[in-house]
Amino acid sequence: MVLVLTPSSSSSSVCLLRRSPPRYGAVRCSSSVQEIQKPPGEGLSSDLRASEPLPPLKVAKRVVLVRHGQSTWNAEGRIQGSSNFSVLTKKGESQAETSRQMLIDDNFDACFASPLERSKRTAEIIWGGRKESIIPEYELREIDLYSFQGLLKNEGKERYGSAYRQWQLDAANFIIDGHYPVRELWERARNCWTKILAHDSRSVLVVAHNAVNQALVATAIGLGVEYFRCLLQSNCGVSVLDFIPRPEGGSPDICLDRLNQTPGSPVAGGKSGGRDTNKRIILVCNGSTQGNTENSFPFAGDQPMNMLGVIQSQKSAELLLDLKVSSIISSPNKACFETAMTISKVQEAADCLGADCVPRYVELKQIGNLDVETIFQQSKMDLSNFPPIQPGWLNRIDDGLRTTLWDQSGKAWQSLLDEISDESSEGVLVAVAHPAIHIALMGHCLNLTKEWLGSFHLDEGSVSVLDFPDGPKGRGVIRCINYTAHLGRWSIPITRSTEDGEEF
């Protein structure tokens, strides 16, 4: 193995190693349900507008969203919408059973479900023998697609031509039978949140559908209709939202703890937003470090990984073995680089491990702009009494520090886009850094601003996947956020204890 290191003192430098065999912020909304005045294909907007406030809370709530398992019409490639003619396939029932096992030890207080049969049956399997009855909620039905419903996708293209094309490319402005389905869905999702949050419970399971779950996630964190198909929801994928009451009252603070944790691997094949993709960025958070303790703020200097971190990095490397990674870009921090090296070594041993018939060659780089430790260590903010990482913690750091983090991550994001824009690249790029940097990178992917930093959460050792079906210059699709199931016994529980006196 030959390592060639090109050092530089610049924080924005790239070191190439070639190897051979807020306090929580206010709820915002990026658009209203007014017509989106922009041509199809244009980038996402992140203009801040106050969204309709959600009801105030007295205690924290965690809501777990699950999409139904594969249905007969999913398998046929038929447009379902809010019709009720399809049922779960055997694969769909198996997916629901896997989700039941994933959530079996979680202490849910209530379960809301769409009354459509495919969702209703999924909820029954997951809910199992719990004594509380499932609450049917008609507003949780799938998006109303009117004349499209029941058509095979190729039939929709043949019969409706330009309308079907608009549905695919400009869904926010798609109109059929005098209706704007996506805008109607966003309004309905807001109404659902009012009902769900008003229920006397602290941990809630919601079982529904692809589009409506996208709308629930988006409206909760304040994203408009132009984000339809940007937040993937796979069959039986699990998404988690935390709702935290404010001391002064008013609409709660909201954090997306994870998105689309699926029964199967998140890096396996599949479409993003209904389209194939050949460009992908995988964000891997470094493993736990020697300076980390359960109750400390995780910036104790540039520390190597502890034993838990070593295990986390090995588990991430095993997960990524199913992909042929073209390059790895790492923060220069010790724990990040150790994680990157572990992934690289496993990739290059793919033939020995039976994952490939030939050795893989991985390009490993370091980028100074992925270094978050320096930002926090050089900050004038007193971090000695800062609490450990919790949902929304990035909105509790001071504005100057948040601005520095956002600006530096923007430069790192451009470096990642440049990397996958290279025509010689095979399309899969892995970036290894601290959770804070990766949260900011996801914000840049969605064309948001620093005010959204507290709207996402990542754990050490987690994996998040960003796809680019329209190429690096097109909008990104978030395939999953904060996936931790690959960590096995060290994975982060989907829900946390909701015993009296305990916070999430």
Side-chain angles (χ1 to χ4, degrees), residues 31 105 158 183 204 238 296 363 377 426 459 490 501 503:
S31 75
D105 294 324
E158 291 170 1
R183 300 185 208 173
V204 181
V238 175
S296 68
E363 188 175 69
Q377 290 298 320
E426 296 185 21
D459 291 299
W490 295 278
E503 293 298 328

Side-chain angles (χ1 to χ4, degrees), residues 321 323-324 347 349-360:
L321 191 57
L323 290 176
K324 186 176 181 180
Q347 281 287 314
D351 57 332
C352 301
L353 297 171
D356 210 333
C357 57
V358 296
R360 295 175 183 173

Side-chain angles (χ1 to χ4, degrees), residues 313-329:
S313 66
Q314 291 171 342
K315 292 290 186 180
S316 295
E318 290 174 22
L319 176 71
L320 299 179
L321 191 57
D322 292 333
L323 290 176
K324 186 176 181 180
V325 174
S326 58
S327 59
I328 302 172
I329 296 182

